[in-house]
Amino acid sequence: MLDGLCKSGLVQEAMKLFGLMREKGSIPEVVVYTAVVEAFCKACKLDDAVRIFKKMQGNGVIPNAFSYWLLIQGLCKGGRLDDAVAFCVEMFEAGHSPNAMTFVGLVDEVCNAKGVEEAEKLVRSFQDRNFAIDEKSIREHLDKKGPFSPVIWEVIFGKKKSGRPF
């Protein structure tokens, strides 16, 4: 319902419904906030999505990994890569790691928009934050959700391996 209201441009109505959901308290607040963030992302109202996400944090509700994933994906799709990277860093600092889809998607978007060198810097910055690249899940994601450019494989994994692109 929130999604439909946001997509229809009925932001005020969506916010009223959001407030009502919070008042009822039958759903954990992180779930309610995350639903609103998702609805705004789907409606391409990214400023509102970020505002609600920050409001969630300001109200003492701790985002979970799924909350971050939705916001990061929405920001990537909306071309707001700097914000997506910033929230990914925040995700690390909150003790969460991006899943393969989030990681590959962000690297792919940065590579396409800013070039290979920036994507390589991003991967190195994740590694500097002790993000252990789960090679198996990332390879599976690249294989199943591709085709991804061989450049993405190289940016993530480095050197080529014989018999496979990387």
Side-chain angles (χ1 to χ4, degrees):
M1 182 140 198
L2 285 168
D3 183 40
L5 290 170
C6 290
K7 282 183 178 176
S8 299
L10 302 171
V11 175
Q12 292 303 319
E13 288 78 1
M15 294 311 295
K16 287 177 188 174
L17 178 59
F18 171 58
L20 183 62
M21 292 170 72
R22 285 191 63 219
E23 285 175 19
K24 296 283 184 191
S26 59
I27 303 172
E29 284 199 74
V30 69
V31 174
V32 175
Y33 275 107
T34 300
V36 175
V37 169
E38 180 180 25
F40 280 129
C41 285
K42 285 182 177 179
C44 298
K45 298 188 180 295
L46 299 176
D47 288 336
D48 290 321
V50 169
R51 182 177 52 79
I52 293 298
F53 193 89
K54 289 182 178 181
K55 184 175 184 175
M56 170 174 53
Q57 294 172 307
N59 287 340
V61 178
I62 299 169
N64 56 30
F66 185 68
S67 304
Y68 278 105
W69 175 79
L70 284 171
L71 182 60
I72 292 165
Q73 291 296 312
L75 291 168
C76 280
K77 288 178 184 173
R80 291 180 49 179
L81 296 179
D82 291 339
D83 290 334
V85 169
F87 278 105
C88 200
V89 168
E90 183 179 306
M91 183 181 190
F92 281 121
E93 292 170 353
H96 303 292
S97 292
N99 61 19
M101 185 184 333
T102 302
F103 176 71
V104 170
L106 191 55
V107 171
D108 188 37
E109 290 293 328
V110 169
C111 193
N112 290 332
K114 297 184 175 190
V116 171
E117 190 173 308
E118 284 299 311
E120 288 172 338
K121 283 182 192 176
L122 177 66
V123 171
R124 280 193 305 275
S125 76
F126 283 9
Q127 291 168 333
D128 291 346
R129 289 180 173 82
N130 295 320
F131 172 63
I133 293 177
D134 179 359
E135 285 195 30
K136 182 181 177 200
S137 65
I138 290 172
R139 286 181 189 281
E140 285 175 4
H141 178 75
L142 287 166
D143 285 337
K144 290 179 184 175
K145 300 296 181 181
F148 285 91
S149 162
V151 172
I152 297 302
W153 288 82
E154 187 173 343
V155 166
I156 294 172
F157 296 114
K159 61 183 186 247
K160 293 183 181 183
K161 292 184 178 177
S162 60
R164 285 189 62 142
F166 293 94

